[in-house]
Amino acid sequence: MTVIRTAPYGFWRSPITSDLIVAQSIGLSEVRLDGDAIWWLESRPQEGGRSVLMRRGPDGSVAEISPPAVNVRTRVHEYGGGAWTVADGTVYFTNDRPGPAGGPPDRRLYRQAPGAEPVPVTAATGEAGEEWRFADGLVDSRRRLWIGVGERHQPGQGHPDNMIVAVPLDGEGAGSVRILAQGHDFFASPRLSPDGSRLAWLAWDHPHMPWVETTLFVAELAADGAPSGPPLALAGGSGESVFQPEWSPDGQWLVFAADRSGWWNLYRCDGRGGPAEPVLPLAAEFGQPQWVFGLSAYAFSGPGRLLCSYVEGGLGKLALVELMTGGLTPIDLPYTDISSVRADEHVAVFRAGSPRDPAQIVRLDLATGRWEVLKRATEIGEDPALRGYFAPAQPVEFPTVGGRTAHGLYYPPTSPDHAAPDGDVPPLVVKIHGGPTSAASSTLNLGIQYWTSRGIAVLDVNYGGSTGYGRAYRDRLNLAWGVVDVEDAVAGAKHLAAQGLADAARSVITGGSAGGYTALAALAFDDYFAGGASHFGVSDAAALARDTHKFESRYLDWLIGPYPAEAERYRERSPLFHADRLSKPVIFFQGDEDEVVPPNQTEAMVDALRAKGQPVGYVLFAGEQHGFRKAANIQRALDGELAFYAVEIFKTGLAF
């Protein structure tokens, strides 16, 4: 019989410890089908964040394919993704493992045949210092080419050049880099038609980000794989974002998602210049923000049928869509977050999760509807003794400034063996996702359960600018970063406090990257929160505009305005220049190799707060980049944030 202890919110003991989280959790992403084999990528904090390829054979056996010296990762666009592909059992990948004597990674393209060791395809960095990075590749088996995105870095050049390239896999010129398409700032999603005669891809230019404006191109290919003429622009441009072109298996149709209707909906065209026709007009999102390569929200399961994941009302769903009629057949699954969808006529595989289920790789039989879990990010969720501590995710809508409505996921304090005294109200952690063009995930997040199982409520805010609610909602952040997101975060916290679900005096705000900026901006420009935390967050928007990498170097034109023309607005929106207005405790966590938000930004903010005698914590992690991958650092950040709040704000004691 369970004994219920009465204890104030925030004082509850929890078995969901940082030790438990990092010891058993891995990252799962990028599922692939290759014949009867299923592949995926695992990121392991216990191995310093190393990413390895896993293969499940037709007999159900699972094997680790990547040798210990391999880290399957690319740094194209810095955020990477799409570091590997597989064709007929042979994998092609880029390796981000440090070189000899701790030197820089070689980042070359490698080939690994079944049962063999990896061998390099491309050359090491040349004497002149030119370096190629590769991502988002496919294999042209007829021509023996790897085709994908190439990023060329040259000493003294400044920003790198991006293009679509081909790399011969054998024969004359093997390992050389041939340019197939260039002339735009960014490229993504090369897709070869089934007969190999046409290549489709996406491109976009500064100052746009891919969720603001992209263009879909198609080029006819000659016998050697080079374009035989200028590419044809089929869709996009003029403020339209196009996502994930895919050829039908018979080559008759080219399908893509575009937001011309106000939602990322599906369209089909012949790929030769004919008009694009809507497949299924729906107030739902079939596209995603392309922060990384290798995204796949849908896949053909036959010449005229698509298996699609989409977001409706902020939650993910899965359905079969008939290409010619637009008929939609929902698939009943217990998941609310579905991505990396791959399929053939019989089987589908994808990554999925729910508020009660961690990220997992799922196989679905399309004929019977039966599904099975192949791999879980953690087995903690399968322990009956722990499941009672998981807080449910409750979608919430709340009023915000200007008569608008904003969204979020609310997680109440939850424990099977604790109860709060009558009249007690819990502390609140308001969590701000990064991006800022992104969304809060409904997949079981043990980092959130770490808080709720201790009697601390969590609100994961989908502020204006988040994805999953259409283009108009996404565009709320246009020129309004540091305003709309802050207003919505404060409004969400006030909404919960007004309902008696949170203690206004013990409400804190936390976020990473762009979410860290919103947390700092809320603390500097509004007096509601009692304190907060910034994980590798922006404090000086102008410094970000000046110093960050190419992919995001003009993002702030859309979020705040062109720099330096709007330098005064940047100063107005930067927490660093308003540290005198920040009078609440703050803790900072930062990686010393972060090229997206360099450490000098965080350190300038820390110095400013220390100079005025403000309670401040600062933890610098050696060897970490933008986001923490090492188990010990993830653990220290979790425990350090809780300890800081417990001492400085919650006054709860250390309930680890």
Side-chain angles (χ1 to χ4, degrees), residues 226-249:
S228 59
L232 180 66
L234 296 182
S238 301
E240 179 179 68
S241 170
V242 177
F243 172 81
Q244 194 190 337
E246 295 289 350
W247 295 98
S248 61

PDB file of all heavy atoms in Angstrom, residues 226-249:
ATOM      1  N   ALA A 226      25.610  15.830 -64.613  1.00  0.00           N
ATOM      2  CA  ALA A 226      25.605  17.287 -64.561  1.00  0.00           C
ATOM      3  C   ALA A 226      24.313  17.827 -65.174  1.00  0.00           C
ATOM      4  O   ALA A 226      23.740  17.207 -66.082  1.00  0.00           O
ATOM      5  CB  ALA A 226      26.806  17.850 -65.308  1.00  0.00           C
ATOM      6  N   PRO A 227      23.815  18.965 -64.706  1.00  0.00           N
ATOM      7  CA  PRO A 227      22.624  19.565 -65.321  1.00  0.00           C
ATOM      8  C   PRO A 227      22.869  19.852 -66.797  1.00  0.00           C
ATOM      9  O   PRO A 227      23.930  20.364 -67.184  1.00  0.00           O
ATOM     10  CB  PRO A 227      22.432  20.855 -64.523  1.00  0.00           C
ATOM     11  CG  PRO A 227      23.070  20.585 -63.193  1.00  0.00           C
ATOM     12  CD  PRO A 227      24.251  19.715 -63.511  1.00  0.00           C
ATOM     13  N   SER A 228      21.894  19.512 -67.626  1.00  0.00           N
ATOM     14  CA  SER A 228      22.031  19.720 -69.066  1.00  0.00           C
ATOM     15  C   SER A 228      21.515  21.075 -69.507  1.00  0.00           C
ATOM     16  O   SER A 228      21.592  21.419 -70.689  1.00  0.00           O
ATOM     17  CB  SER A 228      21.278  18.617 -69.826  1.00  0.00           C
ATOM     18  OG  SER A 228      19.900  18.619 -69.466  1.00  0.00           O
ATOM     19  N   GLY A 229      21.000  21.838 -68.583  1.00  0.00           N
ATOM     20  CA  GLY A 229      20.494  23.168 -68.887  1.00  0.00           C
ATOM     21  C   GLY A 229      20.194  23.897 -67.605  1.00  0.00           C
ATOM     22  O   GLY A 229      20.386  23.368 -66.510  1.00  0.00           O
ATOM     23  N   PRO A 230      19.725  25.139 -67.699  1.00  0.00           N
ATOM     24  CA  PRO A 230      19.423  25.899 -66.480  1.00  0.00           C
ATOM     25  C   PRO A 230      18.265  25.265 -65.718  1.00  0.00           C
ATOM     26  O   PRO A 230      17.345  24.699 -66.320  1.00  0.00           O
ATOM     27  CB  PRO A 230      19.061  27.288 -67.012  1.00  0.00           C
ATOM     28  CG  PRO A 230      18.638  27.067 -68.429  1.00  0.00           C
ATOM     29  CD  PRO A 230      19.466  25.922 -68.926  1.00  0.00           C
ATOM     30  N   PRO A 231      18.291  25.352 -64.382  1.00  0.00           N
ATOM     31  CA  PRO A 231      17.202  24.763 -63.597  1.00  0.00           C
ATOM     32  C   PRO A 231      15.912  25.556 -63.770  1.00  0.00           C
ATOM     33  O   PRO A 231      15.916  26.751 -64.065  1.00  0.00           O
ATOM     34  CB  PRO A 231      17.720  24.847 -62.158  1.00  0.00           C
ATOM     35  CG  PRO A 231      18.685  25.983 -62.170  1.00  0.00           C
ATOM     36  CD  PRO A 231      19.317  25.959 -63.524  1.00  0.00           C
ATOM     37  N   LEU A 232      14.806  24.867 -63.562  1.00  0.00           N
ATOM     38  CA  LEU A 232      13.472  25.444 -63.672  1.00  0.00           C
ATOM     39  C   LEU A 232      12.908  25.656 -62.278  1.00  0.00           C
ATOM     40  O   LEU A 232      12.902  24.736 -61.456  1.00  0.00           O
ATOM     41  CB  LEU A 232      12.565  24.498 -64.465  1.00  0.00           C
ATOM     42  CG  LEU A 232      11.113  24.918 -64.683  1.00  0.00           C
ATOM     43  CD1 LEU A 232      11.039  26.158 -65.561  1.00  0.00           C
ATOM     44  CD2 LEU A 232      10.341  23.754 -65.319  1.00  0.00           C
ATOM     45  N   ALA A 233      12.461  26.876 -61.968  1.00  0.00           N
ATOM     46  CA  ALA A 233      11.831  27.165 -60.679  1.00  0.00           C
ATOM     47  C   ALA A 233      10.365  26.760 -60.751  1.00  0.00           C
ATOM     48  O   ALA A 233       9.606  27.281 -61.573  1.00  0.00           O
ATOM     49  CB  ALA A 233      11.965  28.647 -60.342  1.00  0.00           C
ATOM     50  N   LEU A 234       9.961  25.820 -59.885  1.00  0.00           N
ATOM     51  CA  LEU A 234       8.604  25.269 -59.939  1.00  0.00           C
ATOM     52  C   LEU A 234       7.663  25.862 -58.905  1.00  0.00           C
ATOM     53  O   LEU A 234       6.456  25.903 -59.122  1.00  0.00           O
ATOM     54  CB  LEU A 234       8.659  23.749 -59.738  1.00  0.00           C
ATOM     55  CG  LEU A 234       9.381  22.932 -60.796  1.00  0.00           C
ATOM     56  CD1 LEU A 234       9.300  21.448 -60.450  1.00  0.00           C
ATOM     57  CD2 LEU A 234       8.793  23.176 -62.179  1.00  0.00           C
ATOM     58  N   ALA A 235       8.188  26.267 -57.766  1.00  0.00           N
ATOM     59  CA  ALA A 235       7.321  26.772 -56.688  1.00  0.00           C
ATOM     60  C   ALA A 235       8.169  27.557 -55.717  1.00  0.00           C
ATOM     61  O   ALA A 235       9.401  27.474 -55.718  1.00  0.00           O
ATOM     62  CB  ALA A 235       6.614  25.618 -55.974  1.00  0.00           C
ATOM     63  N   GLY A 236       7.492  28.324 -54.865  1.00  0.00           N
ATOM     64  CA  GLY A 236       8.188  29.082 -53.844  1.00  0.00           C
ATOM     65  C   GLY A 236       8.561  30.469 -54.312  1.00  0.00           C
ATOM     66  O   GLY A 236       8.123  30.947 -55.365  1.00  0.00           O
ATOM     67  N   GLY A 237       9.425  31.129 -53.517  1.00  0.00           N
ATOM     68  CA  GLY A 237       9.756  32.511 -53.768  1.00  0.00           C
ATOM     69  C   GLY A 237       8.611  33.423 -53.358  1.00  0.00           C
ATOM     70  O   GLY A 237       7.529  32.973 -52.979  1.00  0.00           O
ATOM     71  N   SER A 238       8.834  34.722 -53.420  1.00  0.00           N
ATOM     72  CA  SER A 238       7.786  35.717 -53.132  1.00  0.00           C
ATOM     73  C   SER A 238       7.096  35.459 -51.791  1.00  0.00           C
ATOM     74  O   SER A 238       5.864  35.516 -51.691  1.00  0.00           O
ATOM     75  CB  SER A 238       6.759  35.754 -54.262  1.00  0.00           C
ATOM     76  OG  SER A 238       7.380  36.072 -55.491  1.00  0.00           O
ATOM     77  N   GLY A 239       7.887  35.133 -50.783  1.00  0.00           N
ATOM     78  CA  GLY A 239       7.330  34.947 -49.449  1.00  0.00           C
ATOM     79  C   GLY A 239       6.708  33.598 -49.188  1.00  0.00           C
ATOM     80  O   GLY A 239       6.039  33.411 -48.174  1.00  0.00           O
ATOM     81  N   GLU A 240       6.938  32.610 -50.063  1.00  0.00           N
ATOM     82  CA  GLU A 240       6.395  31.259 -49.869  1.00  0.00           C
ATOM     83  C   GLU A 240       7.499  30.311 -49.436  1.00  0.00           C
ATOM     84  O   GLU A 240       8.585  30.292 -50.018  1.00  0.00           O
ATOM     85  CB  GLU A 240       5.757  30.749 -51.160  1.00  0.00           C
ATOM     86  CG  GLU A 240       5.198  29.343 -51.042  1.00  0.00           C
ATOM     87  CD  GLU A 240       4.545  28.867 -52.336  1.00  0.00           C
ATOM     88  OE1 GLU A 240       5.261  28.665 -53.335  1.00  0.00           O
ATOM     89  OE2 GLU A 240       3.319  28.714 -52.335  1.00  0.00           O
ATOM     90  N   SER A 241       7.209  29.498 -48.425  1.00  0.00           N
ATOM     91  CA  SER A 241       8.154  28.495 -47.950  1.00  0.00           C
ATOM     92  C   SER A 241       7.750  27.126 -48.477  1.00  0.00           C
ATOM     93  O   SER A 241       6.614  26.685 -48.284  1.00  0.00           O
ATOM     94  CB  SER A 241       8.168  28.469 -46.416  1.00  0.00           C
ATOM     95  OG  SER A 241       8.903  27.357 -45.939  1.00  0.00           O
ATOM     96  N   VAL A 242       8.699  26.465 -49.143  1.00  0.00           N
ATOM     97  CA  VAL A 242       8.490  25.111 -49.670  1.00  0.00           C
ATOM     98  C   VAL A 242       9.329  24.144 -48.854  1.00  0.00           C
ATOM     99  O   VAL A 242      10.459  24.450 -48.465  1.00  0.00           O
ATOM    100  CB  VAL A 242       8.866  25.031 -51.159  1.00  0.00           C
ATOM    101  CG1 VAL A 242       8.715  23.606 -51.688  1.00  0.00           C
ATOM    102  CG2 VAL A 242       8.009  25.986 -51.977  1.00  0.00           C
ATOM    103  N   PHE A 243       8.775  22.968 -48.610  1.00  0.00           N
ATOM    104  CA  PHE A 243       9.414  21.967 -47.751  1.00  0.00           C
ATOM    105  C   PHE A 243       9.362  20.598 -48.418  1.00  0.00           C
ATOM    106  O   PHE A 243       8.351  20.214 -49.009  1.00  0.00           O
ATOM    107  CB  PHE A 243       8.677  21.926 -46.406  1.00  0.00           C
ATOM    108  CG  PHE A 243       9.096  20.815 -45.476  1.00  0.00           C
ATOM    109  CD1 PHE A 243      10.232  20.941 -44.691  1.00  0.00           C
ATOM    110  CD2 PHE A 243       8.345  19.651 -45.372  1.00  0.00           C
ATOM    111  CE1 PHE A 243      10.616  19.927 -43.824  1.00  0.00           C
ATOM    112  CE2 PHE A 243       8.720  18.632 -44.510  1.00  0.00           C
ATOM    113  CZ  PHE A 243       9.864  18.771 -43.737  1.00  0.00           C
ATOM    114  N   GLN A 244      10.416  19.837 -48.352  1.00  0.00           N
ATOM    115  CA  GLN A 244      10.546  18.412 -48.670  1.00  0.00           C
ATOM    116  C   GLN A 244       9.934  17.982 -50.001  1.00  0.00           C
ATOM    117  O   GLN A 244       8.890  17.342 -50.035  1.00  0.00           O
ATOM    118  CB  GLN A 244       9.946  17.557 -47.546  1.00  0.00           C
ATOM    119  CG  GLN A 244      10.341  16.082 -47.652  1.00  0.00           C
ATOM    120  CD  GLN A 244       9.583  15.182 -46.711  1.00  0.00           C
ATOM    121  OE1 GLN A 244       9.068  15.629 -45.688  1.00  0.00           O
ATOM    122  NE2 GLN A 244       9.500  13.900 -47.027  1.00  0.00           N
ATOM    123  N   PRO A 245      10.602  18.261 -51.111  1.00  0.00           N
ATOM    124  CA  PRO A 245      10.151  17.670 -52.374  1.00  0.00           C
ATOM    125  C   PRO A 245      10.373  16.163 -52.382  1.00  0.00           C
ATOM    126  O   PRO A 245      11.378  15.676 -51.864  1.00  0.00           O
ATOM    127  CB  PRO A 245      11.033  18.367 -53.412  1.00  0.00           C
ATOM    128  CG  PRO A 245      12.272  18.760 -52.655  1.00  0.00           C
ATOM    129  CD  PRO A 245      11.813  19.073 -51.258  1.00  0.00           C
ATOM    130  N   GLU A 246       9.427  15.429 -52.952  1.00  0.00           N
ATOM    131  CA  GLU A 246       9.536  13.968 -53.078  1.00  0.00           C
ATOM    132  C   GLU A 246       8.948  13.521 -54.412  1.00  0.00           C
ATOM    133  O   GLU A 246       7.837  13.928 -54.771  1.00  0.00           O
ATOM    134  CB  GLU A 246       8.801  13.252 -51.940  1.00  0.00           C
ATOM    135  CG  GLU A 246       9.362  13.473 -50.548  1.00  0.00           C
ATOM    136  CD  GLU A 246      10.697  12.798 -50.304  1.00  0.00           C
ATOM    137  OE1 GLU A 246      11.123  11.991 -51.157  1.00  0.00           O
ATOM    138  OE2 GLU A 246      11.319  13.094 -49.268  1.00  0.00           O
ATOM    139  N   TRP A 247       9.678  12.677 -55.135  1.00  0.00           N
ATOM    140  CA  TRP A 247       9.164  12.087 -56.374  1.00  0.00           C
ATOM    141  C   TRP A 247       8.305  10.872 -56.058  1.00  0.00           C
ATOM    142  O   TRP A 247       8.630  10.091 -55.165  1.00  0.00           O
ATOM    143  CB  TRP A 247      10.317  11.643 -57.277  1.00  0.00           C
ATOM    144  CG  TRP A 247      11.186  12.748 -57.782  1.00  0.00           C
ATOM    145  CD1 TRP A 247      12.388  13.139 -57.273  1.00  0.00           C
ATOM    146  CD2 TRP A 247      10.935  13.586 -58.903  1.00  0.00           C
ATOM    147  NE1 TRP A 247      12.902  14.174 -57.992  1.00  0.00           N
ATOM    148  CE2 TRP A 247      12.035  14.480 -59.014  1.00  0.00           C
ATOM    149  CE3 TRP A 247       9.901  13.689 -59.834  1.00  0.00           C
ATOM    150  CZ2 TRP A 247      12.126  15.452 -60.012  1.00  0.00           C
ATOM    151  CZ3 TRP A 247       9.985  14.654 -60.828  1.00  0.00           C
ATOM    152  CH2 TRP A 247      11.081  15.522 -60.915  1.00  0.00           C
ATOM    153  N   SER A 248       7.223  10.705 -56.796  1.00  0.00           N
ATOM    154  CA  SER A 248       6.448   9.468 -56.681  1.00  0.00           C
ATOM    155  C   SER A 248       7.277   8.317 -57.246  1.00  0.00           C
ATOM    156  O   SER A 248       8.154   8.518 -58.092  1.00  0.00           O
ATOM    157  CB  SER A 248       5.117   9.583 -57.422  1.00  0.00           C
ATOM    158  OG  SER A 248       5.324   9.816 -58.807  1.00  0.00           O
ATOM    159  N   PRO A 249       7.051   7.092 -56.795  1.00  0.00           N
ATOM    160  CA  PRO A 249       7.872   5.958 -57.246  1.00  0.00           C
ATOM    161  C   PRO A 249       7.875   5.744 -58.757  1.00  0.00           C
ATOM    162  O   PRO A 249       8.849   5.217 -59.300  1.00  0.00           O
ATOM    163  CB  PRO A 249       7.233   4.759 -56.525  1.00  0.00           C
ATOM    164  CG  PRO A 249       6.614   5.343 -55.303  1.00  0.00           C
ATOM    165  CD  PRO A 249       6.112   6.690 -55.728  1.00  0.00           C
TER     166      PRO A 249
END
